[in-house]
Amino acid sequence: MQARYREWLAEGTSRRWMIVVGGILINLALGVLYAWSVFRSPLVAEFKWDALTATWPFILATVVFTILMIPAGRWNDRFGPMPVGVAGGVLMGIAFILSSFAPKGAANSGAAFTWLMVTYGVLAGAAMGLGYAVPVATGVKWFPDKRGLVVGLSVMGFGGSSLIFGPLANTMILQSNVWTTFFQLGIVFLVMVVVGSLLLTTTPTNWRPAGWTPPAARVAASGREEKRDFSPRELLRIPQTYMLILMYAFATQAGLMVISFAKNYLDSFKFNDIAAAQGLGWINAIPVVGYNIFTGRPAELSAALVGWLALRQPVVVPGDERRLVRHQARGGEYGIIFIGWGLAGMIGPIVGNFGVQALGGYQTGFIIAAVLGLVAGIMSYTIKRPHAREEMEAAPARA
């Protein structure tokens, strides 16, 4: 079945857009990670957790997500995107459904924390790592001529998820409770990721889009042909890799910090009331984003804004990875650079919540995040492709 589907896609260049559809569908489900602050608010209210305690499931999910990216990318190369993506979808559904069975009530605060760390932090994080490794790596193989566009569309799905599921989840929580919401969304995410994964497949051997010719290799100053790709082991031997990881961590920590407590921050100064008084209530007339066509109820303006925040969160690595891996985006190489995002998932929320707990406000976290973001911007101008000497030093790693 997969072989026939692959041949059908290869017969017409326009048919390959099915791969993009599948990738967006997967990332729309997985990107619910960015809506964590919507779930965090009712959990804080029920269990009386402090700011950092309520953020740990989110932090752990980002770390596990990052760790799984490397092996998941290699499994994608070995077994194909469909089985890896389906596994991620099934695990995502299980993770959210199991989260709904956490012990309830303030008396079970410790047990509920452990439960959510396992179900949301470990299982959902692993599901995201499995699923996220698939769309980008598959998409660029089918679209070597439109690599930037396809990567952007796939990543847009991940960021856009919170724009849809943030307000939706908030409205569902208000209508019922956070536990019912976890259960129902688990079923939705399972279906979305599995269906999206069934639309993905690898390219036929030596396949190229009609009329596209691979760019000619460049010649370095030394006279030898410039290396176009580095294997995972080679990447670990050159300093540019670690500079990209650090740059990526500094660039994304601010967004992950804000996303982790966005709704709580907005609610702390009564954003919903202030926004409505300033005439921003029209936001709730926007389908899905404000007024949920799924539930028929308006969402809080703070929940809608959480979605917009996630939509603009950078996913910088697919473009910057091209400085080291420009021809094929194999999952292993992508996962190594993606370590920076996992570091940001720890740095941002911990710094932000430390300011709240130690100093009683969010100002310190914002200042630190701004400084690190500035450093990342400066670094982006200093990281260049390796010279011939560095390529030769990395080459023995292939042995």
Side-chain angles (χ1 to χ4, degrees):
M1 182 70 73
Q2 276 280 301
R4 252 184 270 171
Y5 175 58
R6 184 185 306 119
E7 292 173 4
W8 179 80
L9 289 178
E11 288 172 359
T13 302
S14 62
R15 296 177 182 177
R16 57 183 172 155
W17 287 99
M18 293 294 292
I19 300 295
V20 178
V21 173
I24 292 176
L25 198 60
I26 291 172
N27 279 341
L28 278 174
L30 301 181
V32 73
L33 174 71
Y34 285 161
W36 172 250
S37 64
V38 172
F39 299 105
R40 189 177 101 155
S41 296
L43 295 176
V44 168
E46 179 168 345
F47 298 114
K48 313 304 179 187
W49 288 339
D50 58 43
L52 185 57
T53 299
T55 308
W56 272 112
F58 171 86
I59 294 174
L60 182 58
T62 63
V63 172
V64 174
F65 182 164
T66 304
I67 292 173
L68 259 290
M69 274 286 292
I70 297 176
R74 305 193 69 165
W75 294 333
N76 177 63
D77 295 335
R78 181 175 180 182
F79 303 110
M82 189 270 287
V84 178
V86 168
V90 172
L91 188 57
M92 185 73 170
I94 291 174
F96 267 72
I97 290 171
L98 287 180
S99 293
S100 71
F101 290 100
K104 312 300 190 294
N108 294 311
S109 175
F113 176 76
T114 302
W115 186 277
L116 288 174
M117 287 290 281
V118 173
T119 58
Y120 189 93
V122 176
L123 297 183
M128 294 169 189
L130 288 172
Y132 189 76
V134 169
V136 172
T138 305
V140 296
K141 292 175 182 176
W142 281 99
F143 289 86
D145 54 333
K146 295 181 174 64
R147 174 179 174 134
L149 173 63
V150 171
V151 169
L153 289 173
S154 180
V155 170
M156 179 190 70
F158 195 84
S161 170
S162 189
L163 191 62
I164 298 174
F165 288 107
L168 174 60
N170 185 74
T171 304
M172 292 170 68
I173 290 169
L174 293 176
Q175 282 189 309
S176 54
N177 55 63
V178 68
W179 311 113
T180 301
T181 301
F182 270 131
F183 186 90
Q184 293 174 343
L185 289 180
I187 296 174
V188 172
F189 295 150
L190 188 154
V191 173
M192 287 179 65
V193 179
V194 169
V195 170
S197 299
L198 293 176
L199 295 176
L200 303 184
T201 186
T202 56
T203 55
T205 304
N206 298 322
W207 180 85
R208 294 178 184 176
W212 179 78
T213 302
R218 296 192 303 180
V219 177
S222 62
R224 69 189 280 266
E225 185 177 290
E226 185 182 75
K227 187 174 179 61
R228 296 194 64 79
D229 287 308
F230 288 85
S231 71
R233 300 174 86 184
E234 289 173 338
L235 284 176
L236 296 175
R237 294 174 62 92
I238 55 177
Q240 285 89 341
T241 298
Y242 300 96
M243 293 173 68
L244 277 176
I245 290 173
L246 195 62
M247 184 196 79
Y248 191 30
F250 287 171
T252 56
Q253 50 77 36
L256 289 172
M257 178 193 76
V258 175
I259 286 170
S260 70
F261 58 58
K263 190 173 187 302
N264 309 79
Y265 170 64
L266 294 169
D267 290 343
S268 69
F269 60 85
K270 303 187 184 303
F271 173 81
N272 293 309
D273 296 338
I274 295 174
Q278 295 298 319
L280 296 178
W282 58 267
I283 292 177
N284 275 335
I286 302 176
V288 181
V289 175
Y291 181 83
N292 266 298
I293 59 176
F294 299 105
T295 62
R297 295 288 185 87
E300 293 180 338
L301 293 173
S302 58
L305 186 57
V306 169
W308 287 104
L309 287 171
L311 185 63
R312 59 85 31 219
Q313 163 72 0
V315 183
V316 177
V317 69
D320 279 311
E321 182 202 25
R322 297 192 67 182
R323 304 188 192 191
L324 303 180
V325 185
R326 303 197 302 174
H327 184 57
Q328 292 288 342
R330 295 184 294 269
E333 293 90 332
Y334 183 81
I336 289 174
I337 308 301
F338 199 78
I339 290 172
W341 187 86
L343 292 174
M346 292 188 291
I347 295 171
I350 290 176
V351 168
N353 285 292
F354 171 78
V356 175
Q357 290 184 294
L359 303 175
Y362 296 91
Q363 183 178 15
T364 302
F366 281 117
I367 292 174
I368 295 175
V371 171
L372 292 179
L374 178 62
V375 172
I378 295 173
M379 291 180 68
S380 69
Y381 287 97
T382 64
I383 304 174
K384 308 297 182 184
R385 275 187 60 81
H387 297 300
R389 177 181 61 81
E390 293 165 312
E391 293 178 4
M392 292 175 66
E393 291 174 352
R398 281 187 282 181

